[in-house]
Amino acid sequence: MFIYTGIDIVENRRIGEAIKKHGSRFLNRIFTENEVKYCFSKAEYVSCFSARFAAKEAFIKAFYQAYKKTLPLKSIEIKGSTGKPAEILLHPPDKEVESILNRIKYTFSISHEKNYSVAVVIIYF
């Protein structure tokens, strides 16, 4: 079995400042429409976006370790559901990556508090 790990930590204030400064241009470059809708439905929307950013970065790091390919941020969607753990939905940018993603398994965890959000992703096959 092969195991690859990615981890990322984000200072929530940085994401909040990027949203304030760049607005929808920043959000639409990084997040899917569903992610934007979900996070803005939360009172603490900045930490919601930060946790998703960390999860995307962690997935990209683990995937790169395994396949030496960089995924676009928007190809990874973190689906939130109130009262349930988040899920990763993948939107492969091409057929080659789609073939790889169909063969791997992964698990992840995200967490956030007032100042920081963190995520870890483990890809195994």
Side-chain angles (χ1 to χ4, degrees):
M1 177 180 289
F2 296 95
I3 300 173
Y4 302 92
T5 305
I7 188 168
D8 197 63
I9 186 168
V10 176
E11 186 177 13
N12 295 338
R13 182 175 51 91
R14 277 186 44 232
I15 298 297
E17 289 171 358
I19 293 169
K20 188 182 291 184
K21 183 175 181 180
H22 303 290
S24 62
R25 197 172 88 227
F26 169 74
L27 294 171
N28 294 332
R29 199 179 86 234
I30 308 289
F31 302 101
T32 67
E33 186 178 324
N34 290 333
E35 290 170 317
V36 172
K37 284 180 188 175
Y38 179 78
C39 287
F40 275 132
S41 76
K42 302 293 182 187
E44 296 294 326
Y45 68 89
V46 171
S47 61
C48 181
F49 282 117
S50 296
R52 276 149 183 75
F53 186 85
K56 291 169 181 264
E57 287 287 323
F59 195 97
I60 288 167
K61 290 172 182 177
F63 190 80
Y64 187 82
Q65 286 179 34
Y67 297 101
K68 305 296 184 248
K69 294 187 177 297
T70 303
L71 294 173
L73 287 164
K74 283 183 79 167
S75 69
I76 304 156
E77 180 177 343
I78 311 305
K79 181 181 177 196
S81 187
T82 304
K84 297 179 184 175
E87 298 176 62
I88 293 179
L89 302 177
L90 299 170
H91 308 289
D94 57 49
K95 292 289 183 190
E96 180 185 6
V97 171
E98 181 177 23
S99 174
I100 293 168
L101 292 174
N102 286 334
R103 296 189 315 259
I104 66 171
K105 295 181 181 178
Y106 54 86
T107 187
F108 80 111
S109 182
I110 58 177
S111 186
H112 51 82
E113 53 86 38
K114 182 179 177 182
N115 297 313
Y116 295 96
S117 295
V118 65
V120 63
V121 171
I122 299 169
I123 292 176
Y124 56 99
F125 53 92

